[in-house]
Every structure is written in structure tokens, then in C-alpha cells.
Amino acid sequence: TALGPALGGILCDEWGIRNTFLVVGGSYGVLAVWNHLSLVETKRGDEWWERERLPWHCRAVDSIVDDADGVTSKEKKTGGKESNTGGLTKTISNALRDTTEQWTELMNNPNVRPIVIMNGFYLCAISGSQMTLLPLLLTGGGATAASGAATGVALTATAVGQVYMWMSAVQVLGNPAAGRFADRAGKGAAIVAGGILTSAAMASVPLVCAYGYLGDGGSGILDASNLNWPLLAGTLGFWSLGGTLLATSHVAAISDAVPDSRRSQAIALLRTAGDVGFLCGAAGAGIAADMVGDVGLAMQFGSGVLMGATGWFGLQHLALWRLNNDKSGRK
């Protein structure tokens, strides 16, 4: 994530966006072939149903009819080609039903529900603001010195790649510190701190792009050449640091909130909530920007949504902390 944006920006400026996509797509094709040849799961050999790697394999075996109905013991063991389709269909349905029941039970847990919802709102804001609106703000054109109303900074693709490289580098360097902070202050406190940092930086970036200039150099146009880069870098650095706190603390918090036997399903639920937020955030941010006609204002709206979710999570965390303290005092 640190080198990719920078390399992509350079390739786009040098070769054009079409050839850059061809290079990236071709690299994925090479990687797919390499994985197919090197990974044990995709090497040639027994059929997939003979490897007993599917989670519902044992249930599929139980659904096969007895030898008396014409199924051999080998077919019974492996799932049998001829009669396995119906068994798999039934057992996949059972697996989906079991997963839904487990997720419902997890969402009814007051220690789990706030973490899952907060993660959804966090990735909604990241998808809408960082992935959708920020590139538009960085490439949308300069502002006039008279109005000070920025439609964007008019950066090149290389410069945009460097901006995202900087944000990724902050995350890489900040991960150890974020982990230590979460361990010492608590995962809930780290989530609140991360939400506040990210929201504040998200709301500030449009202001930096509109007013954070060092002068127009006599040209009357405010563009990337006279932008206050240290101010923008610092704001985006706080944005990335807040995101690091959130990303690290969500997984750690939900792992602590459930027993070991439920941890895999809890993390799966957390990631699914994040995927839903990611899906809704991009579409919602684009619609909001088109409706108000201002990318910066739409980004600030996303900041407000994340700040509201952070406040709600903080209240939930405080209520649970008081409840646990009361229970400890009674003991």
C-alpha cells in the first residue's frame, strides 16, 4: 500500500492511464498463474471433493444414501460425484442458516454490537472520503485568489500517488504505536481517539485545499505550486494515524469481547459490516457531492457522520464500563 500509489502515479503520467491499467491487469494475471502452479490447494491431483477441505464436507457425507441404495463405501466417504450435488446444496443452505444464527447471537451481545457498527461507519467514511472524494479534491483544478473557493488542487497523477504513499507510510510506521496505545489506554478509548482524529482531519482537508496557500505568486491563481504542503501533509498524517488506531483496535476489541470458539465468526461479522459500509460509503459520497455540487462539503458531511458514530460508540463504551464496574463492586 505504500509503494503501489506512487508507482501507479508515475506509470500513469509516463505511459497514460490506459497502459497503466493494462500493466496492472497483466500483473494480476501473472500472479493468478503463479498461485495456481505453486499453491497446494490448486495443484493437480485429487478432485476437490476428495480433499475434505470444505467446512460442510462431513455434513455432505451424512446426506448420502446408504450402500443399500447403490452408493459404494468410497462414494460415501468422498461424497460421490453422482449424488453429491444435492447433499452439497442442502448443507450449504444449512451452513448459511447456522452462520446467520451465530451472527444474530453475536449482534445481540452488547459488547460486540457497538464494535461491529462502528467499524461499518468507519469504512463507510473511508470509502466515501478517502477513496472517492479525496482524489477528486486533489485533481479537480485550482482556486482563484479572489474567491478562495477551491474546486481541487490540480495535482498530477504522480503527486496524487505520493500523497497516498505518504498516508500509507504513516499507517505502516504508526501501527506499533497504535497497538501500544490500545493496550495501555484500552481498545474502546483507542477507537474513540481514532474516530476523533480521523473526523477532524477529514473535515480539515477541504479547508486546507481552499485556503492553505502561501500566496499566488502574482498569477492570481492558487494551484499546487503554491499550496502549503506541510499543512496538507500534517492533516493527512493525522487522518492516517486515526485510521490506524481504528483499524487496529476494532479487530483487537472484538477478539477480546468473545470466547476463542466464537472469534472466527466474530471477525467475519466485523469484516462483513465493514464491507457493507465500504459499499454504501462510496455510492453515498458520490451522490452527496453531486447533490451539493461541492466535493469538499460532501467530505465534511462524511466527517460529521463518522464523528456522530464515534460519539455514539463512546457513550456505549462508557455505559458498558460503568456496568462492569458496578458488577465488580457487588462481588
Side-chain angles (χ1 to χ4, degrees):
T1 57
L3 296 178
L7 181 60
I10 294 172
L11 291 177
C12 188
D13 279 343
E14 295 295 329
W15 294 352
I17 192 168
R18 176 178 177 272
N19 292 333
T20 300
F21 270 99
L22 289 175
V23 170
V24 174
S27 66
Y28 274 113
V30 172
L31 182 62
V33 173
W34 172 258
N35 287 340
H36 180 75
L37 296 175
S38 61
L39 296 180
V40 175
E41 291 81 359
T42 53
K43 284 184 176 179
R44 293 183 178 275
D46 296 335
E47 300 293 345
W48 60 267
W49 53 77
E50 294 177 346
R51 298 180 186 175
E52 302 187 8
R53 294 188 182 274
L54 294 177
W56 48 75
H57 176 83
C58 294
R59 292 185 182 179
V61 171
D62 294 337
S63 67
I64 306 299
V65 294
D66 293 331
D67 291 340
D69 294 327
V71 179
T72 65
S73 58
K74 180 180 179 181
E75 288 174 332
K76 197 169 185 178
K77 178 181 178 182
T78 62
K81 259 187 182 180
E82 294 80 13
S83 55
N84 195 40
T85 304
L88 281 178
T89 302
K90 182 178 178 181
T91 51
I92 290 174
S93 175
N94 291 340
L96 291 174
R97 186 176 64 249
D98 291 345
T99 299
T100 302
E101 291 175 355
Q102 291 181 52
W103 286 9
T104 301
E105 183 180 345
L106 286 170
M107 285 300 292
N108 290 330
N109 185 337
N111 293 310
V112 172
R113 184 172 56 250
I115 302 170
V116 173
I117 295 175
M118 180 62 191
N119 188 58
F121 274 104
Y122 158 62
L123 285 176
C124 178
I126 289 298
S127 170
S129 295
Q130 184 170 328
M131 303 299 179
T132 304
L133 299 180
L134 183 58
L136 296 175
L137 196 64
L138 295 176
T139 59
T144 62
S147 66
T151 57
V153 189
L155 298 184
T156 63
T158 299
V160 172
Q162 290 170 347
V163 167
Y164 277 92
M165 179 181 177
W166 161 248
M167 297 180 73
S168 298
V170 172
Q171 290 179 325
V172 170
L173 297 175
N175 271 325
R180 285 196 297 270
F181 179 82
D183 287 338
R184 293 180 180 180
K187 281 75 174 182
I191 291 174
V192 172
I196 293 174
L197 272 178
T198 305
S199 301
M202 196 179 292
S204 301
V205 167
L207 299 177
V208 173
C209 291
Y211 303 107
Y213 289 88
L214 301 176
D216 61 3
S219 66
I221 298 296
L222 302 175
D223 58 19
S225 63
N226 43 47
L227 179 66
N228 191 335
W229 283 102
L231 180 60
L232 179 62
T235 306
L236 293 176
F238 279 114
W239 184 332
S240 296
L241 186 59
T244 300
L245 281 169
L246 287 169
T248 302
S249 302
H250 279 138
V251 177
I254 203 166
S255 297
D256 290 346
V258 296
D260 292 346
S261 60
R262 309 299 300 277
R263 187 167 296 167
S264 297
Q265 283 295 342
I267 293 177
L269 174 60
L270 182 75
R271 295 192 180 279
T272 301
D275 290 340
V276 173
F278 207 90
L279 179 67
C280 297
I287 293 172
D290 285 338
M291 288 181 62
V292 301
D294 189 324
V295 173
L297 187 60
M299 183 180 291
Q300 290 172 333
F301 175 77
S303 167
V305 171
L306 180 59
M307 183 64 78
T310 302
W312 172 83
F313 176 86
L315 292 175
Q316 295 291 313
H317 177 69
L318 181 61
L320 286 172
W321 179 78
R322 288 177 175 174
L323 180 62
N324 292 332
N325 278 353
D326 290 344
K327 289 181 178 180
S328 299
R330 291 171 187 172
K331 291 180 181 179

